[in-house]
Amino acid sequence: MSTPDGTIETVSPGSTFTLNDVVYTRTKNQATANARDARGTLLRFDQAEHRAFWAWAAAKFLRHTGARIEEMLETSHHALIQYRLPTTGEIVPLLQNL
């Protein structure tokens, strides 16, 4: 069985699926997106997706703000404020140094 839409959640737990010509078996835990390859190695696809997203978000944050890593680690949602442009009324998010 292959995953036509590319999500492991569409595969029933315990079933096999093919991705890039490699056969995987989804674990029986329906709450996670884990699978085992032919050698029995557990692959945590949901954890890999989570880490990839936050790596991408951190790189974007650093690139667009010019902040240092130490400053990024100290940033919280309280550091973001909204500014409404007086000419167009558009809301622009601003990063406030605390």
Side-chain angles (χ1 to χ4, degrees):
M1 172 181 199
S2 63
T3 57
D5 63 357
T7 60
I8 192 171
E9 286 86 9
T10 60
V11 178
S12 59
S15 297
T16 60
F17 63 96
T18 304
L19 183 66
N20 295 334
D21 297 328
V22 179
V23 178
Y24 298 96
T25 303
R26 183 167 180 200
T27 58
K28 297 197 187 264
N29 186 352
Q30 190 170 6
T32 63
N34 298 336
R36 294 191 182 274
D37 62 8
R39 293 180 290 157
T41 305
L42 180 64
L43 303 165
R44 294 181 169 97
F45 291 115
D46 52 353
Q47 187 180 46
E49 180 183 24
H50 179 81
R51 288 182 176 177
F53 169 78
W54 285 109
W56 170 84
K60 285 288 203 180
F61 180 91
L62 293 170
R63 179 173 173 249
H64 290 289
T65 64
R68 296 185 302 245
I69 291 175
E70 297 84 14
E71 294 168 330
M72 180 187 70
L73 295 175
E74 293 175 358
T75 302
S76 71
H77 69 283
H78 297 293
L80 294 173
I81 59 172
Q82 293 181 355
Y83 175 72
R84 186 177 299 274
L85 294 175
T87 54
T88 63
E90 180 183 0
I91 295 177
V92 178
L94 293 177
L95 182 62
Q96 176 184 14
N97 280 337
L98 299 175

